[in-house]
Amino acid sequence: MSEHEHHDETLPPEPDPRPDASSPIAEPPPGEGDTQPQAPATAALPGVPGELPIAWDDTAPRPPHPTPPPQATPARTLLLLTLMVGMLCICMTMVGLGAVAGYRDGLATNEAKATQAVATEIAQQYAAGMENLEQGLYELAVARFEWIVETVRPPARYLGDSAAWLEIARTAAAVTPTATPSPTSAVTATPTPTPQPTRTPIPTVPTEATAAPDPTNPAYLYDQAARSMRLARYEDAIEWLRSLRALDPNHRPAETQAMLMEALTLQGRIYLRGANEDGTDQLARGVLLIYEANELGTVEPQSLLYEADVAERYLNARNALNGGHYAQAVAILEQLCAEAESTCNWSYRGVSVRELLERARAGS
């Protein structure tokens, strides 16, 4: 064979180094000293990052990995408890508010019923009192208006002018004389008259009945007060003028105030000096009358206001002495005597400040 022929000979193909799926995979030869059995080598698909390679012969289904149940932490437990308690509190609050609202509605209904009943009774007593005034039953009218003004004491929308009518009724009751029955004459036998010739009677002109005074007329009240002042009946004048100011404060206000102040001053001075004819102890009322006059203007003489102050302290010391509070009485009376000699000698119905002080010192 020639050299050219020798180079043209076809060489056998080189074996393919990649594994063939149809051909068995040969085990690698054991190394030196490797006597442990080796797992068969398997071909794997190209790897996916983060996943294990899958063997070619592993075709069995794999069960899914179980998801572990969430574990309860203390913070989560506390949150659940807080939510449950909050919901419970909200429910209880709503129930409580509903109960309170129902209770208040019930009270409001009962109060409205009671107010309506009282308003009806006030209207009835007011109407009856006005009828009593027209009939001249002043005492009964006073009782009815006193019930409205002093017992019930309703608000202004129900009270109306009941206070003014009460003053009018009291004034009318105070100045109206009580009718006294006239004694009946004994029945006597009348002799039989001698027949006389009859004569035609002369007709008389009928006189008009005198109209009853209207106690609600401001002019009438003012005139009655002025008449009482002329007669030195100052208590009556005070009542007339108070009724006039309550009924119509705009009727001759300057003259009314001046007359009332004069009546209060004169009557108060009478009481302070024990000069009232009935002989009763009216010292406390005299002090109040002078103080009322001082609220209207300047009391004349001004020494009368100081006398009322002395009389008030005299009363306090006398009450303390009668109650056994001797130290309190001594303190008041010593202060009076320290102010002036005339004050220490001031007396009411024969008992002076000095004498009261001696009694208090003896008692203590």
Side-chain angles (χ1 to χ4, degrees), residues 3-364:
E3 183 178 3
H4 178 73
E5 290 176 357
H6 175 78
H7 288 286
D8 288 338
E9 289 180 0
T10 303
L11 297 177
E14 295 181 1
D16 190 357
R18 292 177 300 177
D20 189 4
S22 61
S23 61
I25 301 174
E27 277 187 34
E32 185 178 356
D34 188 3
T35 59
Q36 296 297 329
Q38 300 289 329
T42 56
L45 292 177
V48 179
E51 293 188 3
L52 295 175
I54 302 175
W56 285 99
D57 59 349
D58 191 0
T59 58
R62 293 179 178 271
H65 293 284
T67 304
Q71 296 181 358
T73 60
R76 186 168 184 175
T77 303
L78 181 60
L79 179 60
L80 291 175
L81 290 177
T82 304
L83 291 176
M84 293 176 63
V85 172
M87 293 297 295
L88 180 60
C89 292
I90 292 175
C91 293
M92 293 180 65
T93 303
M94 294 179 64
V95 172
L97 291 176
V100 171
Y103 176 73
R104 293 181 61 182
D105 290 343
L107 288 181
T109 303
N110 295 335
E111 184 178 357
K113 292 180 180 179
T115 303
Q116 185 63 33
V118 173
T120 303
E121 183 66 21
I122 289 174
Q124 294 175 355
Q125 292 295 329
Y126 182 90
M130 296 300 294
E131 291 181 1
N132 296 146
L133 283 177
E134 294 177 358
Q135 297 169 358
L137 304 175
Y138 303 120
E139 293 293 340
L140 187 55
V142 168
R144 295 185 186 279
F145 287 114
E146 281 182 348
W147 180 84
I148 297 175
V149 177
E150 299 177 357
T151 303
V152 179
R153 297 180 181 179
R157 57 178 177 175
Y158 298 126
L159 180 63
D161 56 352
S162 299
W165 286 111
L166 174 60
E167 294 296 334
I168 293 172
R170 284 175 174 172
T171 303
V175 301
T176 302
T178 304
T180 56
S182 59
T184 56
S185 58
V187 179
T188 57
T190 55
T192 304
T194 303
Q196 298 290 336
T198 58
R199 301 175 60 182
T200 303
I202 300 174
T204 58
V205 179
T207 58
E208 295 182 359
T210 304
D214 183 9
T216 64
N217 186 1
Y220 170 75
L221 297 176
Y222 184 88
D223 292 341
Q224 290 298 317
R227 179 174 176 271
S228 298
M229 290 294 294
R230 290 193 298 269
L231 297 175
R233 297 169 57 181
Y234 303 121
E235 283 284 11
D236 293 344
I238 291 171
E239 294 300 324
W240 285 114
L241 293 170
R242 284 176 175 171
S243 299
L244 174 59
R245 287 164 62 90
L247 180 64
D248 187 2
N250 296 323
H251 181 79
R252 305 179 68 173
E255 294 89 340
T256 300
Q257 180 173 340
M259 191 187 304
L260 178 59
M261 186 172 179
E262 182 182 3
L264 291 170
T265 303
L266 293 175
Q267 189 64 54
R269 182 170 57 187
I270 291 173
Y271 287 151
L272 289 182
R273 299 175 182 178
N276 45 307
E277 296 177 357
D278 56 3
T280 58
D281 189 341
Q282 298 290 341
L283 183 58
R285 177 163 176 78
V287 172
L288 295 178
L289 292 180
I290 297 300
Y291 286 167
E292 184 178 351
N294 184 60
E295 293 177 357
L296 296 177
T298 304
V299 176
E300 294 293 343
Q302 296 184 1
S303 59
L304 190 59
L305 184 60
Y306 176 72
E307 185 176 354
D309 176 68
V310 172
E312 182 181 12
R313 288 185 283 172
Y314 177 94
L315 274 173
N316 294 334
R318 189 177 68 179
N319 293 336
L321 179 61
N322 295 335
H325 304 286
Y326 303 111
Q328 182 179 357
V330 168
I332 297 174
L333 296 170
E334 286 181 347
Q335 177 64 32
L336 288 173
C337 287
E339 291 179 3
E341 185 69 19
S342 59
T343 305
C344 194
N345 293 328
W346 188 90
S347 64
Y348 179 75
R349 293 192 179 276
V351 181
S352 66
V353 173
R354 192 184 306 275
E355 292 175 351
L356 278 184
L357 178 58
E358 294 176 357
R359 294 180 188 178
R361 288 173 175 172
S364 60

